[in-house]
Amino acid sequence: MKVFVVLALAIAAVSAGTILPEQNYIHPRELPIAVNIEGRITNGKDAAEGQFPYQVGLSFSSSSGGWWCGGSLIDNSWVLTAAHCTSGASSATVYLGATVRTSPKVTYTVSSSEFRQHASYNSIILRNDISLIKIPSVTYTTYIKKIDLPAISSSYSTYAGDKAIASGWGLTSDSATAVSSKLQYAEMQVIENSVCAQTYGSLTITSKNICTATPAGTSTCSGDSGGPLALVGSGKLIGVTSFVSSAGCQSGAPAGFVRVTSYLDWIKENTGIAY
């Protein structure tokens, strides 16, 4: 079914003068990996304990299996993640304050009734790939703190040329078979959306996305989905990890994120968190 929808979109795109993709995209969660492999951002660095206190680990369960994603603590009772992470899940175990993935300071397990998945999420063209998870109120510590949302005045900034840090426990390489369970991070440069659209097409890359370059194969990967992209300097949350090239995390193609400033009103409506 998806093949026919994509073909129809392509035909419409040609008639409308839309940029068509040179490469296909995929959610990091959907990359083929061996069972039970856990990993890290490709070519990233080990995080120090407490370096990213807003980083959240998410273990999702469903009737057909489970998967791992990342998230960001944006309030003491709300986690921001990707819609493709919550989609199809019946529950999630939330890991807070972890550097070694299996050693969190606090864990909560919540049912899907606590998910606030964007109602207009489209998995075919990766639109509105954003979700919230409500958790019991957690006490902030050295290892557990929220990350600030960007100001509404930042909505007009493309961030192109700025440096940002992605973090998570995603795979260390496309062929990983045994990797460290430590939290990883990588500094990445934001690129113009027009450049990103040359790879993925303008049906996918809109003003609601942010893309980063991935030189030397430094990128987000399977397991990083839903995790944070934080602006260097201000430390504010500007992106949610959404997609990479289906050619692999080390292909050199841009990494794609949901642009947080585009969803500030949606976040406020669902959580009451002011920006």
Side-chain angles (χ1 to χ4, degrees):
M1 179 64 179
K2 286 186 179 180
V3 173
F4 295 111
V5 174
V6 171
L7 179 59
L9 288 170
I11 293 171
V14 170
S15 62
T18 303
I19 299 173
L20 293 174
E22 293 180 356
Q23 294 189 37
N24 290 325
Y25 40 76
I26 191 169
H27 289 310
R29 169 189 157 188
E30 297 166 358
L31 285 166
I33 59 173
V35 177
N36 294 328
I37 290 177
E38 300 298 342
R40 56 190 183 188
I41 284 176
T42 57
N43 295 319
K45 300 176 182 178
D46 286 350
E49 192 170 19
Q51 185 175 359
F52 301 104
Y54 53 81
Q55 177 75 49
V56 177
L58 297 169
S59 179
F60 289 95
S61 298
S62 75
S63 58
S64 58
W67 55 91
W68 180 266
C69 280
S72 302
L73 189 68
I74 60 169
D75 181 76
N76 59 8
S77 57
W78 288 99
V79 172
L80 188 67
T81 187
H84 77 266
C85 289
T86 56
S87 181
S90 56
S91 66
T93 298
V94 182
Y95 293 64
L96 299 166
T99 303
V100 174
R101 185 186 62 81
T102 54
S103 300
K105 305 297 183 186
V106 177
T107 61
Y108 297 119
T109 298
V110 298
S111 72
S112 59
S113 63
E114 304 299 338
F115 300 169
R116 306 290 186 270
Q117 184 172 302
H118 199 289
S120 299
Y121 167 55
N122 185 316
S123 63
I124 297 172
I125 54 175
L126 316 187
R127 204 66 54 82
N128 302 310
D129 185 19
I130 193 166
S131 269
L132 288 156
I133 300 176
K134 194 174 191 309
I135 62 172
S137 181
V138 65
T139 300
Y140 294 148
T141 68
T142 301
Y143 308 105
I144 302 173
K145 293 179 183 176
K146 71 171 184 175
I147 185 171
D148 289 334
L149 298 174
I152 191 65
S153 59
S154 301
S155 298
Y156 301 102
S157 174
T158 65
Y159 300 113
D162 289 344
K163 299 287 188 180
I165 292 177
S167 52
W169 288 275
L171 289 182
T172 184
S173 72
D174 291 324
S175 59
T177 57
V179 292
S180 168
S181 64
K182 289 192 69 175
L183 180 63
Q184 298 285 295
Y185 71 97
E187 186 174 289
M188 309 166 81
Q189 184 168 26
V190 179
I191 61 175
E192 294 281 1
N193 277 12
S194 58
V195 174
C196 196
Q198 292 172 15
T199 298
Y200 299 115
S202 53
L203 279 173
T204 296
I205 306 304
T206 72
S207 60
K208 294 185 176 183
N209 292 111
I210 288 176
C211 294
T212 63
T214 62
T218 300
S219 182
T220 50
C221 204
S222 183
D224 293 322
S225 288
L229 183 71
L231 191 64
V232 171
S234 72
K236 293 184 183 296
L237 182 67
I238 62 169
V240 174
T241 300
S242 180
F243 60 89
V244 294
S245 171
S246 59
C249 308
Q250 295 177 293
S251 67
F257 301 80
V258 173
R259 181 188 171 98
V260 174
T261 53
S262 296
Y263 295 90
L264 291 173
D265 286 342
W266 177 82
I267 292 171
K268 184 178 181 181
E269 288 168 7
N270 283 275
T271 66
I273 299 172
Y275 43 81

